[in-house]
Amino acid sequence: MLPLILVMGCEVDLSVDHFEKNMIEAVQGASSGIVTIVASGASVDDDGKIERTGSGVIIADNGTIVTTYGVIDECDSFRVLYQDGCQHDGRIVGFDRETNVALLITDEHIHGCFPVPMVEAENIEVGSIIIATGFDPL
């Protein structure tokens, strides 16, 4: 899969300096909420071990993390690595194969990693920087 990164901005008077400043602020505001997930389990096919690494986003103060179903599929052990170097075991809260979304939860993490700020679509204003990351299935 190829990584897909979408960056959008819309403003009447948009200069490169202004865009760069807004982009830096958006990334700094979200960076502590990005985690690495190391998922592992036993392979059904060849008695081997499955181990994969993916990313997730902290979405709530209680340690809830959203990731893709592809990260957790066929795995039963999850290690969450935070930006500050801490690690916690995660457990599955729920998933949806069809939309490729999964939720993990860890013990509350209070060491400087915060949920990524979210906004409702109807509250996005002209001039907002929107960053969405994912994978292109092609």
Side-chain angles (χ1 to χ4, degrees):
M1 293 186 208
L2 300 173
L4 172 68
I5 299 176
L6 175 64
V7 178
M8 299 171 61
C10 180
E11 189 168 309
V12 176
D13 185 26
L14 183 66
S15 69
V16 173
D17 289 338
H18 182 73
F19 179 79
E20 180 181 20
K21 179 179 173 264
N22 285 340
M23 180 63 72
I24 290 169
E25 287 174 7
V27 171
Q28 286 174 337
S31 64
S32 76
I34 308 299
V35 298
T36 298
I37 300 166
V38 179
S40 58
S43 174
V44 178
D45 297 337
D46 59 6
D47 293 332
K49 185 170 173 121
I50 298 170
E51 185 166 297
R52 65 177 67 98
T53 302
S55 61
V57 176
I58 304 169
I59 60 169
D61 287 329
N62 69 355
T64 303
I65 296 164
V66 67
T67 188
T68 63
Y69 176 74
V71 171
I72 67 156
D73 185 26
E74 299 180 342
C75 294
D76 55 15
S77 176
F78 309 97
R79 194 77 179 145
V80 179
L81 289 66
Y82 290 83
Q83 295 288 333
D84 63 3
C86 288
Q87 301 180 23
H88 293 288
D89 290 328
R91 60 189 181 284
I92 297 173
V93 175
F95 60 85
D96 181 26
R97 288 181 183 96
E98 207 157 305
T99 58
N100 194 30
V101 174
L103 290 177
L104 294 177
I105 194 163
T106 65
D107 293 330
E108 189 171 348
H109 186 79
I110 56 171
H111 303 289
C113 296
F114 306 100
V116 171
M118 302 284 178
V119 65
E120 298 292 328
E122 61 268 10
N123 294 331
I124 297 174
E125 299 175 10
V126 172
S128 298
I129 301 293
I130 301 168
I131 302 173
T133 63
F135 289 96
D136 181 358
L138 299 176

